[in-house]
Amino acid sequence: SQTIHQWPATLVQPVGSPLSLECTVEGTSNPNLYWYRQAAGRGLQLLFYSVGIGQISSEVPQNLSASRPQDRQFILSSKKLLLSDSGFYLCAWSLGGRNNEQFFGPGTRLTVL
Amino acid sequence: AQSVAQPEDQVNVAEGNPLTVKCTYSVSGNPYLFWYVQYPNRGLQFLLKYITGDNLVKGSYGFEAEFNKSQTSFHLKKPSALVSDSALYFCAVRQRGGYQKVTFGTGTKLQVIP
């Protein structure tokens, strides 16, 4: 069966510090991968998606970046965090094709102080 | 552009009563439609999806949803609510054909009252 991992679970960082959040998927190959941010426990904002290694599409211009160095690894980064980067970050994967529901990781709660 | 509307910010229902969480969508052509549930401080869990065929879709935990093309709706339903159903529910839509991102609604908080 497939599983998705995210770490860390919680993170408190000062403004201006760097960020690296990691997501890995097990039990599947060549998944589509996604990073979302959920603010105030509500709507999901798609940040990045990837359909293959090294292929990253950005949905919202901001000070975040994403990389996919391996097939089942997706990393969200920032060089300098802003207060507005606080939120709940969710990684998800899906298969391509018609059976394309997304499966979400447990999330990372980021607080920027 | 595709969009999803969940008109109710919160729905309250008594335990044992039927529940409905509303969703309407806008998309070019025929849609793929999804429902997800989120418990506090957790990721979203997939409940059910409409791809094609029967307009009534059955999913996990006794939930079902009815696709209504003329009303562009995909309401989530359950015949008898449980207190454990209390959570945040998201409707999502995806346009058919090629890679298209999924658009999520803003979520509806379901509160089941004992």
Side-chain angles (χ1 to χ4, degrees):
Chain A
S1 63
Q2 301 88 6
T3 56
I4 178 169
H5 305 278
Q6 283 188 248
W7 64 90
T10 60
L11 189 61
V12 179
Q13 292 284 93
V15 169
S17 63
L19 173 73
S20 181
L21 303 181
E22 190 163 344
C23 171
T24 59
V25 180
E26 297 177 355
T28 187
S29 296
N30 197 30
N32 294 335
L33 295 171
Y34 312 83
W35 277 112
Y36 291 89
R37 177 167 58 206
Q38 185 178 29
R42 279 296 182 161
L44 293 170
Q45 179 186 36
L46 178 62
L47 302 175
F48 301 94
Y49 67 87
S50 171
V51 298
I53 296 174
Q55 300 179 59
I56 308 294
S57 296
S58 175
E59 288 292 310
V60 182
Q62 55 207 321
N63 70 319
L64 299 172
S65 62
S67 62
R68 185 171 177 173
Q70 300 181 44
D71 181 45
R72 291 168 289 176
Q73 184 184 30
F74 205 24
I75 297 172
L76 182 69
S77 302
S78 174
K79 293 181 179 178
K80 289 185 178 182
L81 283 168
L82 307 173
L83 286 174
S84 57
D85 291 324
S86 293
F88 193 47
Y89 287 83
L90 291 162
C91 180
W93 74 271
S94 73
L95 296 172
R98 300 182 71 191
N99 293 326
N100 52 5
E101 62 267 30
Q102 294 181 20
F103 299 94
F104 286 78
T108 295
R109 175 76 60 192
L110 172 65
T111 303
V112 183
L113 301 175
Chain B
Q2 59 193 29
S3 65
V4 176
Q6 293 182 244
E8 300 155 316
D9 194 58
Q10 180 162 335
V11 171
N12 296 322
V13 63
E15 185 178 22
N17 283 3
L19 69 88
T20 298
V21 182
K22 296 180 180 177
C23 171
T24 59
Y25 67 90
S26 175
V27 70
S28 298
N30 293 318
Y32 294 138
L33 293 159
F34 308 86
W35 275 102
Y36 294 83
V37 60
Q38 185 181 31
Y39 296 97
N41 297 310
R42 303 285 298 275
L44 279 68
Q45 296 177 32
F46 169 71
L47 277 179
L48 52 80
K49 64 182 176 182
Y50 171 79
I51 301 297
T52 188
D54 194 348
N55 289 342
L56 185 62
V57 179
K58 294 187 183 297
S60 305
Y61 313 120
F63 284 94
E64 58 188 27
E66 186 168 10
F67 172 61
N68 187 317
K69 187 173 182 179
S70 63
Q71 296 185 8
T72 62
S73 67
F74 191 55
H75 301 331
L76 181 70
K77 300 181 179 183
K78 188 174 182 181
S80 179
L82 300 173
V83 172
S84 58
D85 292 330
S86 298
L88 189 57
Y89 290 81
F90 289 94
C91 181
V93 65
R94 177 187 180 273
Q95 187 173 324
R96 293 176 187 258
Y99 174 78
Q100 297 285 345
K101 70 176 183 179
V102 174
T103 298
F104 287 83
T106 52
T108 297
K109 183 178 180 181
L110 173 66
Q111 190 73 41
V112 181
I113 303 164

